[in-house]
Amino acid sequence: MKSPGLSVRPIINMANSKGLCEVFCEDVRVPVKNRLGEENRGWYVSATLLDFERSNIGAAIGNRHSALDLVKHIEDAGWPTGQPDEHVRMELTSRLIEAEVGRLLSYRIVSMQKRGLVPNYEASMNKMFYSELSQRISWTGMKLFRTQGMLLEGSPNAPRHGSAPRNYMMTIPQTIAAGTSEIQRNIIATRGLGLPRG
Ligand SMILES: Cc1cc2nc3c(=O)[nH]c(=O)nc-3n(C[C@H](O)[C@H](O)[C@H](O)COP(=O)(O)OP(=O)(O)OC[C@H]3O[C@@H](n4cnc5c(N)ncnc54)[C@H](O)[C@@H]3O)c2cc1C
């Protein structure tokens, strides 16, 4: 990170969260001892790293926790404005079932990695599923908390310390980062289902 020509510009996202940056490399020279693998094979290193990034089995656990946290809110605090309506209850049930599906997709990844295989379209299935599910869970949360769901962290009446709007804003970029859902669908279609390129 101290190499001449390398500069980092922080980006603050709409949830006011730091930790995301633009990194510029201008004529940066990398010593040959730091090269990964063979010369001119960098794309294959990057593609394998993307497969690992999309394998992210921790995301299934995160989704499960987020869905269970919504259930816990109903159980713990009671519901200030009466029980959530039937539609939201059914939605929350679907989110919990989907979180289970995410867990099973992760088991497939783990079992492949344990056998020394690199999941490819399987990792794309996992990534697309967990990122789209994280958005559905946060949207269900917003509906569950009704108007109070818009209160941010620090507001005395914010349910669950303002987690609903924070999760909502933080999950929007999930279907872009690590490759958009469209790119994952392309990989599943071509490498998973053997369909021709469009
Ligand atoms: C929160 C966050 C964190 C990130 N972290 C990192 C990081 O740590 N490191 C890093 O290198 N990058 C990071 N990124 C960048 C991220 O990988 C890219 O934003 C992402 O891959 C999309 O590329 P793009 O923004 O250039 O969109 P584009 O590729 O310009 O895509 C624009 C639109 O066109 C669609 N599209 C593009 N190509 C196709 C195609 N062939 N078929 C169908 N549709 C297509 C896309 O789905 C999208 O809707 C991060 C992004 C976000 C939002």
Side-chain angles (χ1 to χ4, degrees):
M1 293 304 289
K2 289 180 188 147
S3 306
L6 202 142
S7 56
V8 178
R9 195 161 78 193
I11 303 173
I12 298 175
N13 71 9
M14 66 178 164
N16 201 26
S17 151
K18 300 175 183 94
L20 187 66
C21 298
E22 278 182 298
V23 179
F24 298 91
C25 303
E26 213 166 323
D27 298 328
V28 175
R29 295 189 69 83
V30 180
V32 81
K33 70 176 168 47
N34 290 356
R35 188 183 66 212
L36 295 176
E38 291 168 47
E39 195 168 344
N40 293 329
R41 302 281 298 170
W43 165 249
Y44 299 96
V45 174
S46 305
T48 307
L49 289 175
L50 282 173
D51 286 334
F52 275 108
E53 183 177 20
R54 293 165 184 167
S55 294
N56 185 2
I57 53 171
I61 309 300
N63 276 337
R64 191 158 179 271
H65 281 183
S66 301
L68 286 174
D69 194 53
L70 297 178
V71 175
K72 195 161 166 26
H73 174 74
I74 298 173
E75 286 173 353
D76 275 5
W79 188 247
T81 48
Q83 281 291 310
D85 63 38
E86 188 62 16
H87 178 70
V88 177
R89 290 164 74 93
M90 293 305 286
E91 254 197 42
L92 188 49
T93 309
S94 296
R95 298 300 87 90
L96 286 163
I97 294 168
E98 289 161 353
E100 267 313 287
V101 173
R103 191 162 69 96
L104 298 176
L105 284 175
S106 289
Y107 282 166
R108 183 175 181 188
I109 305 271
V110 173
S111 105
M112 288 182 75
Q113 287 176 335
K114 201 159 185 293
R115 283 177 283 142
L117 303 171
V118 178
N120 172 246
Y121 70 88
E122 299 88 345
S124 288
M125 285 167 62
N126 185 50
K127 195 271 157 175
M128 194 180 81
F129 190 82
Y130 77 65
S131 58
E132 294 189 354
L133 175 57
S134 73
Q135 291 177 348
R136 287 196 297 275
I137 293 172
S138 62
W139 180 227
T140 299
M142 290 297 282
K143 287 196 244 176
L144 184 71
F145 295 123
R146 297 182 196 166
T147 48
Q148 285 183 321
M150 286 183 273
L151 297 174
L152 297 169
E153 198 171 3
S155 165
N157 296 319
R160 303 209 84 66
H161 311 290
S163 63
R166 191 179 54 244
N167 288 348
Y168 184 74
M169 289 187 281
M170 293 296 284
T171 53
I172 287 176
Q174 292 254 324
T175 47
I176 304 171
T180 63
S181 285
E182 288 80 8
I183 294 298
Q184 311 307 335
R185 286 187 169 90
N186 281 347
I187 293 169
I188 296 163
T190 51
R191 304 217 188 121
L193 298 171
L195 295 174
R197 283 181 173 275

